[in-house]
């Protein structure tokens, strides 16, 4: 594949989220790709908050965007909290710049004031709909005398400023992934660049800021491609150099529709809560729509920084593969150095285990079961229920019907006797270690003439209280001889009493 030639301009790329809701996977994937490209090229990654649509801003989302990025290990060289030479990095604090650009466009004849009221515009749209025409601004103030417009504005009359789109010819957007994409100018109406409240629209604000911040590549979702000819026109009208355009394809649900919650897509901080590892989500999102070759899926972050290139992004939408994400998380859990994993487990368990288990948790205990459970987990959220029995002196013996299945169906007395035999065989085991425990348990099964698996199922329930647990003999070693024996005896007594 060709590379995204950084060209003459130093690489400065940005993530420009609007604080209209919690960050979803599409936005975060854009952040990851853009960040990787900045790190790959030794460029700068800039965070800019686009809050000019005050009606859509949602309280608290800026913090959640920042927290989500931090959780994923994405840092920014310039941004609202860290500052930088091109600040401020919040659009609502840059109003004067947009007003100045709008004034320049007015002065050069590329823009005009429009005094049409909301009511008037609604009637215009209704009339268009009645004629089955697409709704669009009809240019009613395009040729309005400038001196009259200025007088009305000076008198304080509410109005917007619109960009005067050429009515003929085409506008071509040169996109890194798609090549030259041309749009008929006559299809595009005179759009608003400055609203009546003095705030710019995205169209103007993005051009002004990406220029002022010397952004070399505008990386954004393909939903912006239809607006891109407008942006190209504003760049040209202001005499600004265009950035490299990179409109990346969307993520779809597995059914080919828009990705949504029902496909398992979540907000980033929900993934954190569910127990995904940030590196796994990072890796997964990177490869959802980007590939190095036709087989490599697991990449360290260092490797991604080395090989990632915007030019290799897919041109087609990619499907969100929840199963792959879970698999990937399991891979990261298994490959993580043990010490790190113990620490992650400890933090997770401090949060997840029931409050009656004393804190701080026993670190040595966590170290002892970490190798037993790491192979079995896909999500950290599964950890608590899987290991709770290690932290308890007594686990309630499950009801008889949990024991009396398969081989033991309706044979409570046999099950009780079998557990009694196990206790007898375990008694001489010394040292209390996995190997000796296993030998004793197999000998007990031989003596009882039952399949080892059938016997172990009883013991597993007695020891862990559940049917699914970490490996049995290793777990018994961690639980210890005294408690293991007590739990088996308790189960034998309960089954014998029935
Ligand atoms: N503020 C826009 C959004 O959140 C960003 C588009 C862009 O990256 O330019 O959709």
């Amino acid at each position: 594949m060709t590379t995204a030639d950084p060209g003459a301009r130093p690489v400065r790329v940005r993530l420009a989220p609007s604080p209209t809701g919690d960050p979803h996977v599409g936005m975060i994937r854009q952040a990851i790709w853009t960040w990787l490209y900045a790190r790959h090229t030794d460029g700068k990654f800039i965070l800019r908050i686009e809050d000019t649509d005050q009606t859509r801003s949602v309280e608290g989302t800026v913090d959640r965007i920042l927290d989500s990025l931090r959780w994923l290990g994405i840092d920014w060289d310039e941004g609202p909290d860290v500052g930088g030479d091109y600040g401020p990095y919040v659009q609502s604090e840059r109003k004067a710049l947009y007003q100045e650009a709008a004034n320049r466009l007015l002065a050069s004849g590329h823009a005009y004031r429009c005094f049409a009221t909301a009511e008037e515009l609604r009637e215009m749209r209704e009339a268009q709909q009645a004629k089955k025409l697409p709704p669009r601004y009809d240019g009613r103030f395009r040729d309005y005398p400038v001196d009259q417009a200025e007088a009305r504005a000076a008198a304080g009359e509410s109005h917007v400023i619109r960009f005067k789109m050429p009515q003929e010819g085409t506008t071509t957007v040169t996109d890194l992934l798609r090549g030259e994409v041309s749009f008929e100018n006559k299809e595009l109406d005179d759009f608003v660049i400055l609203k009546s409240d003095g705030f710019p629209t995205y169209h103007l604000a993005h051009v002004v800021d990406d220029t002022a911040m010397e952004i070399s590549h505008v990386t954004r979702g393909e939903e912006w491609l239809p607006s891109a000819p407008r942006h190209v026109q504003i760049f040209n009208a202001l005499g600004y150099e265009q950035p490299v355009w990179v409109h990346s394809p969307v993520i779809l649900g597995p059914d080919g529709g828009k990705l949504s919650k029902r496909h398992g897509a979540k907000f980033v901080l929900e993934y954190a809560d569910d127990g995904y590892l940030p590196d796994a989500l990072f890796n997964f999102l990177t490869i959802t729509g980007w590939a190095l070759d036709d087989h490599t899926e697991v990449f360290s972050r260092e490797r991604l920084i080395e090989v990632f290139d915007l030019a290799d992004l897919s041109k087609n939408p990619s499907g969100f593969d929840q199963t792959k994400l879970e698999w990937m998380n399991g891979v990261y859990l298994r490959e993580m150095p043990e010490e790190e994993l113990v620490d992650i487990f400890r933090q997770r368990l401090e949060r997840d285990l029931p409050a009656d288990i004393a804190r701080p948790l026993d670190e040595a205990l966590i170290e002892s079961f970490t190798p037993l459970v790491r192979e079995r987990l896909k999500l950290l959220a599964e950890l608590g229920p899987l290991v709770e029995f290690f932290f308890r002196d007594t686990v309630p013996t499950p009801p008889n019907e949990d024991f009396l299945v398969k081989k033991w169906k309706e044979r409570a007395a046999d099950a009780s006797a079998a557990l009694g035999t196990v206790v007898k065989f375990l008694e001489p085991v010394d040292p209390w270690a996995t190997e000796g425990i296993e030998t004793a348990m197999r000998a007990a099964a031989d003596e009882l003439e039952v399949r080892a698996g059938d016997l172990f199922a009883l013991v597993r329930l007695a020891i862990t209280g559940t049917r699914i647990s970490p490996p049995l003999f290793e777990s018994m070693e961690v639980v210890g001889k005294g408690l293991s024996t007590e739990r088996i005896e308790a189960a034998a007594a309960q089954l014998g009493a029935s």
Side-chain angles (χ1 to χ4, degrees):
M1 201 60 233
T2 54
T3 54
D5 180 8
R9 298 171 84 178
V11 171
R12 291 179 51 83
V13 285
R14 88 302 190 271
L15 179 73
S18 302
T20 51
D22 278 27
H24 51 79
V25 289
M27 195 267 257
I28 288 297
R29 186 185 62 161
Q30 193 70 60
I32 293 174
W33 284 344
T34 307
W35 180 86
L36 280 172
Y37 187 65
R39 297 297 171 252
H40 173 72
T41 54
D42 275 329
K44 297 278 186 246
F45 179 68
I46 293 129
L47 182 62
R48 180 174 76 223
I49 303 297
E50 302 207 322
D51 61 345
T52 57
D53 192 346
Q54 302 272 308
T55 56
R56 289 180 60 228
S57 289
V58 178
E59 181 82 22
T61 37
V62 172
D63 285 341
R64 286 201 291 283
I65 292 168
L66 268 53
D67 286 348
S68 301
L69 295 172
R70 287 191 192 106
W71 179 73
L72 278 162
I74 296 178
D75 56 345
W76 45 99
D77 304 301
E78 299 167 28
D81 54 338
V82 294
D85 293 343
Y86 299 78
Y89 293 89
V90 178
Q91 286 189 326
S92 56
E93 295 167 21
R94 300 172 64 83
K95 261 170 103 173
L97 286 168
Y98 314 124
Q99 276 154 356
E100 194 255 338
N103 286 336
R104 276 182 52 205
L105 291 169
L106 281 175
S108 63
H110 286 100
Y112 59 90
R113 299 184 196 274
C114 168
F115 297 89
T117 61
E119 176 63 20
E120 218 179 315
L121 294 175
R122 193 175 54 75
E123 280 168 13
M124 174 191 77
R125 277 192 298 270
E126 280 170 5
Q128 287 164 341
Q129 266 160 8
K131 287 194 218 144
K132 305 246 182 298
L133 293 169
R136 54 179 284 151
Y137 176 69
D138 60 5
R140 58 185 60 195
F141 278 89
R142 190 175 165 107
D143 298 318
Y144 192 72
V146 174
D147 52 346
Q148 290 181 38
E150 289 310 310
R152 285 172 75 170
E157 191 174 337
S158 174
H159 66 284
V160 300
I161 298 179
R162 291 180 182 271
F163 189 81
K164 206 180 228 177
M165 273 299 283
Q167 288 172 319
E168 289 162 5
T170 56
T171 303
T172 300
V173 180
T174 308
D175 183 86
L176 182 73
L177 304 177
R178 295 153 209 275
E180 297 199 338
V181 189
S182 291
F183 298 82
E184 293 290 333
N185 292 336
K186 64 175 184 314
E187 301 295 331
L188 299 160
D189 63 2
D190 291 347
F191 54 95
V192 176
I193 53 176
L194 205 71
K195 295 179 276 187
S196 56
D197 60 4
F199 276 98
T201 56
Y202 168 76
H203 306 306
L204 180 65
H206 127 69
V207 174
V208 168
D209 286 345
D210 284 335
T211 303
M213 295 181 180
E214 297 187 35
I215 298 303
S216 58
H217 300 63
V218 165
T219 55
R220 61 185 179 189
E222 69 180 340
E223 67 275 18
W224 291 109
L225 188 59
S227 313
R230 297 180 162 161
H231 308 150
V232 166
Q233 287 290 342
I234 308 178
F235 270 99
N236 293 343
L238 287 169
Y240 293 157
E241 185 185 349
Q242 286 178 53
V244 176
W245 301 103
V246 191
H247 291 95
S248 52
V250 291
I251 309 186
L252 298 177
D255 53 5
K258 194 174 178 306
L259 180 65
S260 72
K261 289 243 144 191
R262 89 197 135 81
H263 300 122
K266 297 190 175 170
F267 298 128
V268 173
L269 296 176
E270 293 180 301
Y271 285 109
D273 262 2
D274 285 357
Y276 287 90
L277 296 172
D279 284 340
L281 186 63
F282 187 102
N283 188 157
F284 167 77
L285 287 177
T286 305
I287 65 163
T288 302
W290 170 87
L292 178 64
D293 51 35
D294 61 3
H295 58 277
T296 317
E297 294 193 308
V298 180
F299 295 88
S300 69
R301 199 167 290 215
E302 294 66 38
R303 178 81 180 131
L304 283 174
I305 290 174
E306 202 178 298
V307 298
F308 179 83
D309 196 329
L310 289 171
D312 297 330
L313 294 181
S314 161
K315 289 175 196 53
N316 304 314
S318 24
F320 185 86
D321 186 344
Q322 175 66 24
T323 317
K324 186 182 279 186
L325 172 58
E326 284 172 23
W327 165 79
M328 179 88 65
N329 205 55
V331 170
Y332 274 82
L333 280 173
R334 285 192 293 279
E335 287 183 356
M336 181 168 279
E338 192 140 316
E339 270 165 59
E340 251 177 76
L341 196 58
V342 168
D343 201 46
I344 288 182
F345 279 4
R346 186 184 49 72
Q347 290 172 31
R348 184 79 200 186
L349 291 170
E350 290 282 353
R351 214 188 81 178
D352 283 3
L353 284 178
D356 65 315
I357 294 174
R359 306 294 202 277
L361 297 170
D362 180 348
E363 179 111 15
L365 179 60
I366 299 174
E367 276 171 29
S368 61
F369 65 64
T370 294
L372 309 184
V373 296
R374 64 181 307 166
E375 297 291 325
R376 299 179 168 239
L377 288 181
K378 282 210 207 110
L379 296 182
L380 287 174
E382 298 160 356
L383 182 65
L386 198 62
V387 300
E388 186 178 329
F389 72 94
F390 285 121
F391 291 90
R392 300 209 173 270
D393 285 343
T394 50
V395 291
T397 304
N400 283 1
E401 60 263 28
D402 284 9
F403 288 92
L404 302 179
V405 294
K406 294 190 183 155
K407 154 95 185 150
W408 307 106
K409 210 167 179 179
E410 292 168 21
R411 291 175 56 198
D414 291 351
S416 173
L419 288 172
T421 304
V422 170
V423 172
K424 201 176 78 199
F425 275 76
L426 288 175
E427 214 278 317
V429 173
D430 185 30
W432 183 256
T434 301
E435 206 181 311
I437 296 168
E438 177 167 4
T439 310
M441 298 259 290
R442 291 195 185 281
D446 285 348
E447 162 107 353
L448 289 161
E449 295 179 4
V450 295
R451 291 213 336 253
D454 289 331
L455 184 63
F456 299 169
L458 292 180
V459 178
R460 182 187 303 279
L461 260 176
I463 301 278
T464 69
T466 60
R467 229 173 253 141
I468 297 165
S469 79
L472 180 59
F473 315 124
E474 286 87 344
S475 298
M476 289 169 74
E477 177 181 331
V478 175
V479 169
K481 187 170 183 176
L483 287 182
S484 295
T485 310
E486 268 176 36
R487 290 180 195 177
I488 301 170
E489 279 171 342
Q494 176 181 298
L495 287 161
S498 63

